[in-house]
Amino acid sequence: MAKKQLEVLNALDVAKTQWYHFTAIVIAGMGFFTDAYDLFCISLVTKLLGRLYYTVPGAEKPGTLPPNVAAAVNGVAFCGTLTGQLFFGWLGDKLGRKKVYGMTLMMMVICSIASGLSLGSQPKAVMATLCFFRFWLGFGIGGDYPLSATIMSEYANKKTRGAFIAAVFAMQGFGILAGGMVAIIMSAAFKAAYPAPAYAFNAAASLPPASDYVWRLIVMFGALPAALTYYWRMKMPETARYTALIAKNAKQAAADMSRVLQVDLEAEPERVSEENRKQFGLFSKEFLRRHGLHLLGTTSTWFLLDIAFYSQNLFQKDIFSAIGWIPAAKTMNALEEVYKIARAQTLIALCSTVPGYWFTVFFIDRIGRFFIQIMGFTMMTIFMFALAIPYDHWTHRDNRIGFVAMYSLTFFFANFGPNATTFVVPAEIFPARLRSTCHGISSAAGKAGAIVGAFGFLYAAQSKDPAKVDAGYRPGIGVRNSLLVLGCVNALGVLFTFLVPESNGKSLEEMARENENENEDGNGNEITEMGVRDSRTVPV
């Protein structure tokens, strides 16, 4: 027979939206603001790093990062994020959400500053230390994914839970936007202070020595919002679901939530002691039976989504260059190139990325996670093919604005679609004692996809014509064929979405089936050695 819901958890499910909900969104969301800033700001300065450390005197074009260095600089943070998601996701279920939350934030602050202070004047020294600190920066960022999602899902009521979790994730959009704005301000200020000619006119003078400060300041700025949030994160009480269901301290859970909800709640110690028995683990047959397909669905969809999403985000500067929206590098000085790349990416973030996130926040509890994810993957597929199939048409000068508009719509439907829902759903459908771990596994699968996108697209998007390939690269399949591949990846995302259950309007315990005994099937029937016994039959 199904177990009755604990009073403190039921109070959370039916609680009216209060000030503490919005406080939790801001505190958790500022972590994601920092995450997005730190992960994506590097794409704004990679061209500058190439000019600073790899320009060959007398060369026709400015220097660019060698393929292996570019792959490392762009991808090493993702490797750190993947390992951090797995480690801190597991640790969040073992030690508690709050304890681990502070660790991740301090790691992000320290490593953001250290990345900007990368040592040495020789290219190898600077790139090696930059990559080292960005790996550990990514490690801290990785922990923020499962912990922020889990904390917000366990604080929220079931009526608006999806919007609250999506709002935390939507702070990513502001982080991406802030990265572009900081780069615009820094490059514009230094450009005004240190005027320089274009590379084609005077190669040496086109790169003022002060340019080295620009990328360092942009990278270090990410420490500021994380540092400002640390105090408030430490003041948040542990979630009631962790305290009651995992730590088995219903009295403390009731006291914490009474203070937060401003209502009187009584503990139910005898109920908790009844549940203090052996429970199935992640690698058990029972978990496989109940949640195996769910975990396959959340990992596969996040993996496929991030292949497309991160390859677009990290290398949109290359796409804009390919269609002529950003001028050839030799026609600009170093700071002007940073300015124009940042301006282009900020425009995309402002017009499509940020609105897409908040469309999800507004609609997710109205039309559900499943519909938004299916719609998003479908529209991304359509727009990718619409860009790729007539690609030559879009490269003509008169049609470039149309290309940018279509490209922006793929970002809009990524964020009003699977980029948000793949973050929300894993925080809702797994048991409390495995929730952070399973979210960490799902998000780590996403970062594996990001690594595929970041490394793969870096090489694949190179022109087929050897004469047009960037220095140090081999000919690739070109931007057109790369977009076709990404369209197929999005189409696979549609199919795997059917493995993910709809969690709209249901309590966390209902989705995780935590109110069922372990020897029951999903309909409340007891499973015995003789088979399934209908719980509705009355013994005589």
Side-chain angles (χ1 to χ4, degrees), residues 380-515:
M380 288 172 70
T381 304
I382 292 170
F383 283 115
M384 283 290 188
F385 286 140
L387 288 171
I389 294 171
Y391 182 72
D392 291 338
H393 166 80
W394 296 117
T395 57
H396 293 125
R397 182 175 297 276
D398 294 341
N399 302 324
R400 286 170 182 169
I401 297 300
F403 182 97
V404 173
M406 296 275 281
Y407 189 68
S408 298
L409 284 170
T410 65
F411 276 100
F412 176 81
F413 283 105
N415 295 308
F416 181 32
N419 193 40
T421 54
T422 52
F423 176 81
V424 172
V425 174
E428 300 181 304
I429 64 176
F430 297 108
R433 65 186 179 279
L434 298 172
R435 185 169 292 133
S436 180
T437 301
C438 290
H439 196 286
I441 292 170
S442 301
S443 54
K447 280 300 166 284
I451 291 169
V452 171
F455 284 79
F457 196 79
L458 185 68
Y459 292 90
Q462 292 295 318
S463 173
K464 295 179 183 179
D465 184 355
K468 297 181 180 179
V469 172
D470 290 339
Y473 289 84
R474 295 180 178 179
I477 61 174
V479 174
R480 178 181 182 274
N481 289 331
S482 296
L483 291 172
L484 283 172
V485 171
L486 294 178
C488 293
V489 167
N490 291 325
L492 283 175
V494 174
L495 298 178
F496 280 96
T497 296
F498 287 93
L499 297 176
V500 182
E502 177 59 76
S503 52
N504 191 26
K506 299 177 182 177
S507 73
L508 296 179
E509 287 66 45
E510 182 182 357
M511 285 306 304
R513 295 165 60 182
E514 287 189 288
N515 290 335

Side-chain angles (χ1 to χ4, degrees), residues 279-285 287-288 295 433-434 437-438 441:
Q279 297 174 312
F280 63 84
L282 180 65
F283 300 105
S284 65
K285 290 183 179 179
F287 179 87
L288 183 64
L295 188 58
R433 65 186 179 279
L434 298 172
T437 301
C438 290
I441 292 170

